[in-house]
Amino acid sequence: MNHYDVVVIGCGAGGYNTAIRASQLGLSVACVERASNIGGTGMRTGCIPSRLLLHTSEIYDLANKGKNAALGIGCAPTLDLTQMMAYKASTVEKMSNSIHKLLRKQGVTLIHGDALLAAAGQVIVRKTGGVQQTLSGTALVIATGSVPIPLPFAAFDHMRILDSADALSLGKVPRHLAIIGAGAVGVELGSIWQRLGSRITLIERCDRICHWLDRDVTATLERSLRQRGIDIRVSSDVVGLDKHSDSVSVQLRAAASGKITHIDADRVLVAIGRRPSTAGMNLASVGMQTGYKSTLSQQGPATPVTSMTNGSGIWVIGDAGPGPMLMSKAEEEAIACAERIAGLPGFVSYPSIPYVLHTSPEVAMIGRTEDELRGTGAAYRVGYYPLAANPRAAICGTSEGFVKLLVDADTNLIAGAHLIGPGAADLISQVAIAMEASMICEDFARICHPYPVWSEALRQAAMAAGGWMMHVAI
Ligand SMILES: Cc1cc2nc3c(=O)[nH]c(=O)nc-3n(C[C@H](O)[C@H](O)[C@H](O)COP(=O)(O)OP(=O)(O)OC[C@H]3O[C@@H](n4cnc5c(N)ncnc54)[C@H](O)[C@@H]3O)c2cc1C
Ligand SMILES: NC(=O)c1ccc[n+]([C@@H]2O[C@H](COP(=O)([O-])OP(=O)(O)OC[C@H]3O[C@@H](n4cnc5c(N)ncnc54)[C@H](O)[C@@H]3O)[C@@H](O)[C@H]2O)c1
């Protein structure tokens, strides 16, 4: 039996980052992956494919809608979906190969197979052809990610009832795609197929889309998606699906009236969330239950919970553990976990993990929403700056979006930031740095920004929170 300091199960963002960091710290590492190519959901079927298709579909949409005509540029694009998908596949393969190289360079042993726990510190790997290998590790890291949740009354058939991976690999633009769940997957993948020509109906059981975002952001995003032609049905629960030979009938129940209506679509994307992927891993053998808590606590430093591991040092990170399901969170936990295993004080700053939606307009948030602050009774100030006042926005011919900073009235520290508009996904890192550095809002407002750029909007919002916004008449 081969022994390693660390055995990592799963080679997605959580797994490969743990392996790289642990190896940098001088530990021997084996990483087990069941899929033929590495990179996990984020690289193979989630973040990268969706971001890539959001990019390509936006280029097509801009050209197709004649939006460049006002700039004096005329074009009539054609869509070659097969080529677009081939470009996606080759990019994913290149990125997966580069992680492979990184692991090899770090001396990480990569083993392909299906891993399950045999006992504390022991992992069985089932390989193709019935071959089985047993590994032992001083520390075991479960980084097995998550799987999409199906509707309770209709399994994924991957033809008409799709999960997100199916919906990122379609060979034909659907005529009408009904999407159940207006969360991250729903709004991003709905945007892709709307731009490529599908009619989209987005169905959400809550009274607004992406209900964890700041209300002002949701209102702007919802308005923008509707203007682009997406039919949004909120406060609607899907209570049944009937499959026909060439369509699916979706039954909706309105929350207020209880009235049942039907929508006929040629495909249905079920995007109602994901759950940890731990089925068949024999977690009970080490005293762990499905739905267990992560060894990394939500708000503080990572500490192994020995009662869940029989004292054997099992770590659970990324989507397999609790908390937001994000590449960035998986990477943070991976670094902290590897450093803890190596005896260093690894730490995850959960309140400073930004969240981004790659829609158009882009959305980004960090920290508390206004509803949350109101709920705590804390005194706060709002610094609001509309992008319509931003010189870069004028150049680009857009006025949609804003920056909203929430500032603690007692400490002047930034408690939350909510951005919607071009560049939001990149701008949010400035706020993350300010929050991590405990920078007061006044200092933030006094940092010189280049001109004319989107990030001036952040500075103006910080000025607004201090009552001296200069470029909008108050
Ligand atoms: C459509 C979509 C878009 C997304 N976009 C973004 C985004 O823009 N930004 C962002 O931050 N996040 C995004 N996410 C979320 C992000 O992909 C996940 O949070 C991230 O992949 C989690 O990393 P992980 O390592 O925990 O799990 P994963 O990336 O899922 O990796 C887990 C790996 O473990 C392997 N595995 C599972 N069980 C076993 C086993 N028993 N033995 C061996 N191997 C096993 C799996 O094959 C997989 O490769 C998106 C998700 C989806 C679905
Ligand atoms: N840009 C990103 O960072 C990004 C992109 C895609 C996915 N992800 C991650 O992947 C995970 C899964 O995404 P997701 O969109 O599937 O889940 P989600 O949790 O983001 O959204 C699911 C939505 O479905 C709704 N819903 C649940 N049951 C329903 C029902 N029966 N009828 C109608 N609506 C229903 C919920 O109210 C919620 O709004 C998320 O945790 C997300 O963080 C992140």
Side-chain angles (χ1 to χ4, degrees):
M1 190 193 323
N2 290 342
H3 182 84
Y4 297 87
D5 294 325
V6 188
V7 175
V8 184
I9 305 176
C11 197
Y16 64 72
N17 282 303
T18 305
I20 291 170
R21 187 72 189 117
S23 179
Q24 282 178 339
L25 294 169
L27 301 172
S28 62
V29 186
C31 190
V32 187
E33 171 57 54
R34 62 154 63 124
S36 55
N37 54 352
I38 60 174
T41 304
M43 204 161 281
R44 292 194 312 260
T45 56
C47 180
I48 297 300
S50 76
R51 188 67 196 88
L52 189 145
L53 291 179
L54 279 157
H55 172 67
T56 53
S57 64
E58 186 162 26
I59 294 173
Y60 175 73
D61 186 52
L62 279 173
N64 196 34
K65 297 265 165 59
K67 287 178 186 161
N68 294 325
L71 312 179
I73 304 166
C75 46
T78 55
L79 176 63
D80 181 346
L81 189 60
T82 310
Q83 172 56 28
M84 200 180 267
M85 290 294 174
Y87 173 63
K88 181 200 76 171
S90 76
T91 306
V92 166
E93 195 185 334
K94 266 187 226 149
M95 292 181 72
S96 175
N97 288 344
S98 70
I99 299 293
H100 209 289
K101 274 190 205 139
L102 277 177
L103 292 178
R104 213 171 37 226
K105 211 168 161 207
Q106 286 297 336
V108 173
T109 305
L110 180 62
I111 300 168
H112 281 286
D114 217 332
L116 59 120
L117 304 192
Q122 273 187 32
V123 173
I124 294 174
V125 184
R126 293 189 175 139
K127 303 180 180 185
T128 46
V131 183
Q132 197 162 292
Q133 181 181 356
T134 306
L135 310 172
S136 69
T138 309
L140 301 186
V141 180
I142 298 176
T144 49
S146 60
V147 287
I149 299 173
L151 287 167
F153 45 81
F156 294 112
D157 66 8
H158 307 291
M159 299 292 289
R160 297 217 170 272
I161 305 180
L162 312 175
D163 63 22
S164 55
D166 303 322
L168 287 166
S169 303
L170 296 176
K172 207 173 133 199
V173 177
R175 180 183 46 81
H176 182 186
L177 178 65
I179 303 179
I180 306 173
V185 168
V187 296
E188 289 188 351
L189 273 58
S191 298
I192 292 172
W193 290 109
Q194 185 274 327
R195 292 169 193 170
L196 295 180
S198 295
R199 178 180 154 205
I200 302 290
T201 306
L202 200 49
I203 305 157
E204 170 58 50
R205 70 155 49 134
C206 290
D207 61 355
R208 60 195 181 106
I209 63 170
C210 301
H211 52 88
W212 52 91
L213 295 174
D214 191 89
R215 279 181 191 277
D216 291 338
V217 170
T218 322
T220 303
L221 180 62
E222 205 168 303
R223 190 172 57 242
S224 175
L225 294 178
R226 283 189 205 277
Q227 274 167 2
R228 284 168 164 79
I230 295 184
D231 178 8
I232 300 176
R233 313 275 180 100
V234 290
S235 304
S236 299
D237 223 338
V238 174
V239 291
L241 286 187
D242 286 325
K243 276 202 280 180
H244 307 294
S245 59
D246 59 352
S247 67
V248 186
S249 174
V250 184
Q251 290 146 43
L252 305 186
R253 187 174 51 216
S257 62
K259 195 176 154 207
I260 305 277
T261 50
H262 293 79
I263 292 171
D264 282 321
D266 51 344
R267 303 202 188 219
V268 174
L269 163 59
V270 179
I272 57 172
R274 297 175 68 88
R275 63 175 171 227
S277 167
T278 50
M281 287 190 66
N282 199 23
L283 295 184
S285 70
V286 290
M288 294 174 85
Q289 306 295 323
T290 309
Y292 49 82
K293 284 201 168 84
S294 166
T295 49
L296 295 172
S297 72
Q298 272 290 74
Q299 295 291 338
T303 41
V305 181
T306 49
S307 61
M308 287 174 196
T309 64
N310 296 338
S312 54
I314 297 183
W315 301 75
V316 186
I317 61 163
D319 283 12
M325 291 187 173
L326 297 172
M327 296 286 281
S328 39
K329 178 250 192 192
E331 182 175 333
E332 286 312 289
E333 290 186 335
I335 295 168
C337 168
E339 290 180 351
R340 285 269 163 153
I341 291 168
L344 299 171
F347 178 79
V348 179
S349 181
Y350 288 98
S352 310
I353 294 177
Y355 179 87
V356 161
L357 287 179
H358 302 281
T359 42
S360 184
E362 269 178 3
V363 169
M365 71 164 282
I366 190 166
R368 303 292 187 100
T369 64
E370 204 170 348
D371 280 354
E372 283 170 347
L373 284 179
R374 265 194 218 110
T376 63
Y380 65 92
R381 292 194 309 274
V382 179
Y384 180 91
Y385 175 79
L387 286 187
N390 180 267
R392 183 60 171 265
I395 291 166
C396 297
T398 180
S399 58
E400 198 176 35
F402 58 83
V403 171
K404 178 173 168 182
L405 290 183
L406 301 172
V407 180
D408 185 293
D410 296 327
T411 61
N412 272 324
L413 294 171
I414 298 170
H418 306 276
L419 283 66
I420 179 162
D426 285 305
L427 295 188
I428 200 70
S429 301
Q430 283 201 18
V431 188
I433 293 167
M435 286 172 75
E436 279 295 287
S438 299
M439 188 185 281
I440 61 165
C441 194
E442 180 69 17
D443 285 344
F444 195 74
R446 290 186 182 277
I447 291 173
C448 177
H449 282 70
Y451 177 91
V453 295
W454 296 111
S455 63
E456 281 181 278
L458 278 174
R459 185 183 190 192
Q460 289 290 325
M463 288 174 174
W468 59 290
M469 179 163 57
M470 293 177 64
H471 293 161
V472 176
I474 319 174

